[in-house]
Amino acid sequence: MVEITDRWLSADEICIYLGISKDTVYKWIDKHGMPAHRMGRLWKFKKKQVDKWIESGGAAPNISNENSNM
């Protein structure tokens, strides 16, 4: 049997992979442009796209927005 290594991950699977909650995933999609693809009612993720986004600082908090709230 051939293992599919570049398959679409569910929200639950990406949460486990990243060690974060679903609330955080949905916040990152909405506020930080996390790469995600909507398939009907479900969000799906490519691990390589998410890894690249995180490595480029996509998950980092926006410092300018945080400082403006002070």
Side-chain angles (χ1 to χ4, degrees):
M1 187 168 150
V2 177
E3 181 180 341
I4 300 173
T5 58
D6 191 29
R7 66 182 184 83
W8 291 98
L9 301 179
S10 69
D12 288 331
E13 290 172 316
I14 206 72
C15 288
I16 292 167
Y17 174 67
L18 296 175
I20 59 175
S21 70
K22 269 190 177 180
D23 287 341
T24 299
V25 167
Y26 297 138
K27 181 177 118 185
W28 285 357
I29 292 168
D30 185 45
K31 306 263 189 229
H32 298 278
M34 181 181 193
H37 305 274
R38 190 132 184 149
M39 295 180 184
R41 297 179 339 155
L42 304 175
W43 286 101
K44 296 292 183 172
F45 306 85
K46 286 285 190 173
K47 191 167 93 167
K48 287 182 183 180
Q49 290 176 351
V50 173
D51 286 341
K52 185 176 176 182
W53 175 78
I54 289 172
E55 289 169 359
S56 71
N62 188 336
I63 301 301
S64 63
N65 282 346
E66 289 180 5
N67 289 337
S68 66
N69 292 332
M70 293 181 154

